[in-house]
Amino acid sequence: MSRYRVLLAVLVAVTFLAGLGVAVVPAGTPAPPAVAESAAPRADDVRSLLERRARAVLERDETAFTADLDPLADAGFRQRQRDLFRNLAAVPLAEWEYRLSGETDVSSLDLPAADESWAPDVRLAYRLRGVDVEASTQGMAYLFTRRGDRWYLNSDTALEPLGKRTWRGPWDFGPCHVLTGSGGFVLSHPGGEALAARVLAELDGAVTAVTEVWGEAWARQVAVLIPAGPDEMRALVGPGFATGAIAGVAVADRVDTEKHTARGQRVVLNPDSAGALSPLSLRVLLRHEITHVAARGETVDGAPMWLLEGFADYVGYRGSDVPPRKAAPLLAAQLRDGPPTALPSDDAFRGDGMELAYQQSWSLNLHLASRLGEPGLVDLYRRLARVRASEVDAVLVEVTGEDTAALVRGWQDFLRRELG
C-alpha cells in the first residue's frame, strides 16, 4: 500500500507490501469444498443461471442479464444490477465467469418469501484484456431463490449478517471510462477525467522505465484504477488504507512465488491525494508502484522492507536528476548527528519515522547500484526478495562479498560523499 510523503515540497507515494495490507491468497490455499451431492439438482440450475449471466456480460445483452433477477427482489438491488451491467460497457474484459462450490447455512437468516432459498459459495473469475494473464477471483455473497421450477438471483447483501460480503469492483461505483495506451489502461469515473488523462500521459513511460531496470520478464501492461471516492477506495484496497494519507496502492489478490506470478494486480490511486501531485511526483509515484507490480511475483512475504521500498524508489527517481539532498532532506539532516548505524528495520516503515526509513532505503539502494551496477542491484533484489530477514546476511555475502556490517559501513561512506 502507498502513503504519500512530502519530498521536494510535493507529495510522493511509497508502497507497503505483503503483511501490511496487500491482500493475497497463498498459492497453497485449499480449494473450497465441492457442492454437496444432495444439492446437485439446484446446483445445476444455479450454475446454468450463472453461465447465462456471465455470457450476457461478455455479449453485452442487458435483457439476458436482468432476466434471472428475482422479480420480487428488492427494487434497489435490481436497479444496482442494471447499473452494474451498464457501467461495465467500456471495461476491456477478456473473461467473466462464475465458479460455484460449497454452500452457506442460511437457516439463521430472515429469508425472503420463496419456495426455496440457497446460498452456494460463488466466486467471480474475471480477466482484464491485455493486463491479466490469469483470472482474478473474488467472492460473491449471492442468495438465490426458487419460485416454482425456476431459480433467480435475489440479493448480494443478504448474507452480510453471517460475515459474507460481495466483492465490489469499479463497475459497482459508477460508469467506467477507460483510456488505453501501449502500457495498459486507466479506468476512472465521471469527474476523474483530468487525473486519468495525466496518468495516461505518464503510463507508457513508466512501464518503459520499469522495464529498462527490471527487464522484460513481466506483463508490461498495467491497470490503473481511479476510484470515485472513499467507499470505492475502501472496497479496492481495504479500510485500513483508504485514507487521505494514501496517494497510491499496488494490490494483488494472489501471489505464487514458485511460478513467479501474481494475479489481480492493480495500481489504485486516491483521486484527492494523487490529484494534488506535481508532474514529477506523479511520475515517481507511478514508477514506484509499477515497480512493485513488475517484481511482485519474485517477492515473498517477510522480505526486507529496506530492499523492497528502496528499490521501488530507486526506479521511481531514476533519470529524474533530483539531487540526493533534495530527495532525502530528513536523511541529510540526520547526517549532521552522524550516519545511520544499521539498516532500516521493517518496524521503521510504520508510524512517525516512516519517511526517514524510506529515504534511508532509497539511498541504500542508490549506494548498491553505484557499487554493483544496475544489473547487480536487480540481481541482489531478486535474491533478497525471496528470503526472510534471518537469511539476508548470507545472501549479502554470497552476492556482494560483504556481510551486513560491511554493507552499512560502505553505505555510511556513500552518504558522507553524497549528502554530507
mmCIF file of all heavy atoms in Angstrom, residues 2-24:
data_model
loop_
_atom_site.group_PDB
_atom_site.id
_atom_site.type_symbol
_atom_site.label_atom_id
_atom_site.label_comp_id
_atom_site.label_asym_id
_atom_site.label_seq_id
_atom_site.Cartn_x
_atom_site.Cartn_y
_atom_site.Cartn_z
ATOM 1 N N SER A 2 0.324 2.330 -0.468
ATOM 2 C CA SER A 2 1.135 3.521 -0.604
ATOM 3 C C SER A 2 0.626 4.675 0.241
ATOM 4 O O SER A 2 -0.553 4.912 0.338
ATOM 5 C CB SER A 2 1.134 3.988 -2.058
ATOM 6 O OG SER A 2 1.605 2.981 -2.882
ATOM 7 N N ARG A 3 1.574 5.364 0.845
ATOM 8 C CA ARG A 3 1.270 6.608 1.523
ATOM 9 C C ARG A 3 1.990 7.724 0.782
ATOM 10 O O ARG A 3 3.013 7.495 0.160
ATOM 11 C CB ARG A 3 1.761 6.560 2.976
ATOM 12 C CG ARG A 3 0.949 5.637 3.864
ATOM 13 C CD ARG A 3 1.569 5.608 5.237
ATOM 14 N NE ARG A 3 0.757 4.793 6.132
ATOM 15 C CZ ARG A 3 -0.219 5.270 6.892
ATOM 16 N NH1 ARG A 3 -0.517 6.538 6.864
ATOM 17 N NH2 ARG A 3 -0.902 4.480 7.675
ATOM 18 N N TYR A 4 1.450 8.912 0.854
ATOM 19 C CA TYR A 4 2.196 9.982 0.217
ATOM 20 C C TYR A 4 3.094 10.655 1.242
ATOM 21 O O TYR A 4 2.844 10.660 2.425
ATOM 22 C CB TYR A 4 1.272 11.003 -0.464
ATOM 23 C CG TYR A 4 0.399 11.827 0.440
ATOM 24 C CD1 TYR A 4 0.909 12.916 1.117
ATOM 25 C CD2 TYR A 4 -0.951 11.526 0.575
ATOM 26 C CE1 TYR A 4 0.098 13.699 1.917
ATOM 27 C CE2 TYR A 4 -1.768 12.296 1.378
ATOM 28 C CZ TYR A 4 -1.231 13.384 2.045
ATOM 29 O OH TYR A 4 -2.036 14.144 2.831
ATOM 30 N N ARG A 5 4.201 11.164 0.766
ATOM 31 C CA ARG A 5 5.197 11.803 1.618
ATOM 32 C C ARG A 5 5.530 13.165 1.042
ATOM 33 O O ARG A 5 5.350 13.417 -0.133
ATOM 34 C CB ARG A 5 6.468 10.948 1.652
ATOM 35 C CG ARG A 5 6.222 9.532 2.130
ATOM 36 C CD ARG A 5 7.487 8.728 2.056
ATOM 37 N NE ARG A 5 7.762 8.334 0.692
ATOM 38 C CZ ARG A 5 8.979 8.270 0.161
ATOM 39 N NH1 ARG A 5 10.018 8.600 0.869
ATOM 40 N NH2 ARG A 5 9.150 7.874 -1.072
ATOM 41 N N VAL A 6 6.036 14.033 1.867
ATOM 42 C CA VAL A 6 6.448 15.342 1.396
ATOM 43 C C VAL A 6 7.911 15.251 0.996
ATOM 44 O O VAL A 6 8.790 15.063 1.815
ATOM 45 C CB VAL A 6 6.271 16.412 2.484
ATOM 46 C CG1 VAL A 6 6.751 17.756 1.985
ATOM 47 C CG2 VAL A 6 4.806 16.503 2.900
ATOM 48 N N LEU A 7 8.158 15.359 -0.300
ATOM 49 C CA LEU A 7 9.503 15.361 -0.844
ATOM 50 C C LEU A 7 9.571 16.484 -1.866
ATOM 51 O O LEU A 7 8.706 16.601 -2.719
ATOM 52 C CB LEU A 7 9.830 14.040 -1.543
ATOM 53 C CG LEU A 7 9.927 12.797 -0.644
ATOM 54 C CD1 LEU A 7 10.254 11.600 -1.514
ATOM 55 C CD2 LEU A 7 10.999 12.974 0.396
ATOM 56 N N LEU A 8 10.603 17.273 -1.809
ATOM 57 C CA LEU A 8 10.739 18.402 -2.727
ATOM 58 C C LEU A 8 9.510 19.301 -2.641
ATOM 59 O O LEU A 8 9.097 19.911 -3.616
ATOM 60 C CB LEU A 8 10.911 17.911 -4.166
ATOM 61 C CG LEU A 8 11.982 16.843 -4.376
ATOM 62 C CD1 LEU A 8 12.009 16.413 -5.819
ATOM 63 C CD2 LEU A 8 13.339 17.345 -3.947
ATOM 64 N N ALA A 9 8.949 19.353 -1.432
ATOM 65 C CA ALA A 9 7.758 20.168 -1.158
ATOM 66 C C ALA A 9 6.550 19.717 -1.956
ATOM 67 O O ALA A 9 5.627 20.473 -2.189
ATOM 68 C CB ALA A 9 8.036 21.650 -1.442
ATOM 69 N N VAL A 10 6.542 18.449 -2.408
ATOM 70 C CA VAL A 10 5.382 17.894 -3.097
ATOM 71 C C VAL A 10 5.101 16.523 -2.518
ATOM 72 O O VAL A 10 5.843 16.011 -1.697
ATOM 73 C CB VAL A 10 5.626 17.779 -4.623
ATOM 74 C CG1 VAL A 10 5.728 19.137 -5.247
ATOM 75 C CG2 VAL A 10 6.882 16.954 -4.895
ATOM 76 N N LEU A 11 4.015 15.892 -2.971
ATOM 77 C CA LEU A 11 3.636 14.587 -2.448
ATOM 78 C C LEU A 11 4.163 13.493 -3.355
ATOM 79 O O LEU A 11 4.042 13.566 -4.565
ATOM 80 C CB LEU A 11 2.108 14.489 -2.382
ATOM 81 C CG LEU A 11 1.438 15.522 -1.475
ATOM 82 C CD1 LEU A 11 -0.060 15.402 -1.623
ATOM 83 C CD2 LEU A 11 1.853 15.312 -0.040
ATOM 84 N N VAL A 12 4.742 12.468 -2.719
ATOM 85 C CA VAL A 12 5.218 11.318 -3.461
ATOM 86 C C VAL A 12 4.758 10.073 -2.735
ATOM 87 O O VAL A 12 4.776 10.040 -1.513
ATOM 88 C CB VAL A 12 6.765 11.325 -3.564
ATOM 89 C CG1 VAL A 12 7.243 10.072 -4.274
ATOM 90 C CG2 VAL A 12 7.241 12.556 -4.317
ATOM 91 N N ALA A 13 4.345 9.037 -3.439
ATOM 92 C CA ALA A 13 3.826 7.843 -2.786
ATOM 93 C C ALA A 13 4.899 6.806 -2.563
ATOM 94 O O ALA A 13 5.862 6.722 -3.279
ATOM 95 C CB ALA A 13 2.712 7.231 -3.623
ATOM 96 N N VAL A 14 4.692 6.010 -1.529
ATOM 97 C CA VAL A 14 5.527 4.857 -1.251
ATOM 98 C C VAL A 14 4.614 3.675 -1.006
ATOM 99 O O VAL A 14 3.430 3.853 -0.761
ATOM 100 C CB VAL A 14 6.415 5.095 -0.016
ATOM 101 C CG1 VAL A 14 7.364 6.215 -0.260
ATOM 102 C CG2 VAL A 14 5.582 5.383 1.221
ATOM 103 N N THR A 15 5.132 2.470 -1.080
ATOM 104 C CA THR A 15 4.273 1.292 -1.056
ATOM 105 C C THR A 15 4.632 0.339 0.050
ATOM 106 O O THR A 15 5.780 0.008 0.225
ATOM 107 C CB THR A 15 4.376 0.567 -2.404
ATOM 108 O OG1 THR A 15 3.977 1.452 -3.421
ATOM 109 C CG2 THR A 15 3.475 -0.655 -2.441
ATOM 110 N N PHE A 16 3.617 -0.131 0.786
ATOM 111 C CA PHE A 16 3.776 -1.233 1.734
ATOM 112 C C PHE A 16 3.370 -2.504 1.013
ATOM 113 O O PHE A 16 2.344 -2.550 0.371
ATOM 114 C CB PHE A 16 2.857 -1.044 2.936
ATOM 115 C CG PHE A 16 3.278 0.060 3.841
ATOM 116 C CD1 PHE A 16 2.401 0.523 4.795
ATOM 117 C CD2 PHE A 16 4.544 0.624 3.751
ATOM 118 C CE1 PHE A 16 2.769 1.538 5.659
ATOM 119 C CE2 PHE A 16 4.918 1.630 4.606
ATOM 120 C CZ PHE A 16 4.034 2.100 5.561
ATOM 121 N N LEU A 17 4.165 -3.578 1.182
ATOM 122 C CA LEU A 17 3.864 -4.834 0.505
ATOM 123 C C LEU A 17 3.188 -5.827 1.437
ATOM 124 O O LEU A 17 2.616 -5.474 2.447
ATOM 125 C CB LEU A 17 5.156 -5.429 -0.084
ATOM 126 C CG LEU A 17 5.575 -4.812 -1.420
ATOM 127 C CD1 LEU A 17 6.817 -5.519 -1.930
ATOM 128 C CD2 LEU A 17 4.484 -4.926 -2.450
ATOM 129 N N ALA A 18 3.293 -7.108 1.112
ATOM 130 C CA ALA A 18 2.575 -8.154 1.830
ATOM 131 C C ALA A 18 2.805 -8.063 3.318
ATOM 132 O O ALA A 18 3.908 -7.824 3.773
ATOM 133 C CB ALA A 18 3.028 -9.515 1.317
ATOM 134 N N GLY A 19 1.718 -8.282 4.078
ATOM 135 C CA GLY A 19 1.801 -8.192 5.525
ATOM 136 C C GLY A 19 1.333 -6.850 6.024
ATOM 137 O O GLY A 19 1.054 -6.680 7.201
ATOM 138 N N LEU A 20 1.247 -5.852 5.149
ATOM 139 C CA LEU A 20 0.801 -4.522 5.557
ATOM 140 C C LEU A 20 -0.406 -4.082 4.751
ATOM 141 O O LEU A 20 -0.599 -2.912 4.538
ATOM 142 C CB LEU A 20 1.948 -3.512 5.378
ATOM 143 C CG LEU A 20 3.132 -3.725 6.303
ATOM 144 C CD1 LEU A 20 4.197 -2.682 6.002
ATOM 145 C CD2 LEU A 20 2.716 -3.614 7.748
ATOM 146 N N GLY A 21 -1.161 -5.002 4.248
ATOM 147 C CA GLY A 21 -2.426 -4.614 3.647
ATOM 148 C C GLY A 21 -2.658 -5.102 2.250
ATOM 149 O O GLY A 21 -3.763 -5.023 1.764
ATOM 150 N N VAL A 22 -1.637 -5.593 1.528
ATOM 151 C CA VAL A 22 -1.903 -6.137 0.219
ATOM 152 C C VAL A 22 -2.535 -7.503 0.404
ATOM 153 O O VAL A 22 -1.918 -8.415 0.935
ATOM 154 C CB VAL A 22 -0.615 -6.254 -0.605
ATOM 155 C CG1 VAL A 22 -0.878 -6.967 -1.909
ATOM 156 C CG2 VAL A 22 -0.078 -4.866 -0.893
ATOM 157 N N ALA A 23 -3.767 -7.642 -0.013
ATOM 158 C CA ALA A 23 -4.490 -8.896 0.235
ATOM 159 C C ALA A 23 -4.072 -9.937 -0.781
ATOM 160 O O ALA A 23 -4.320 -9.796 -1.962
ATOM 161 C CB ALA A 23 -5.990 -8.649 0.140
ATOM 162 N N VAL A 24 -3.407 -10.979 -0.325
ATOM 163 C CA VAL A 24 -3.017 -12.052 -1.217
ATOM 164 C C VAL A 24 -3.490 -13.374 -0.630
ATOM 165 O O VAL A 24 -3.600 -13.538 0.573
ATOM 166 C CB VAL A 24 -1.490 -12.106 -1.434
ATOM 167 C CG1 VAL A 24 -1.005 -10.850 -2.101
ATOM 168 C CG2 VAL A 24 -0.753 -12.319 -0.113
#
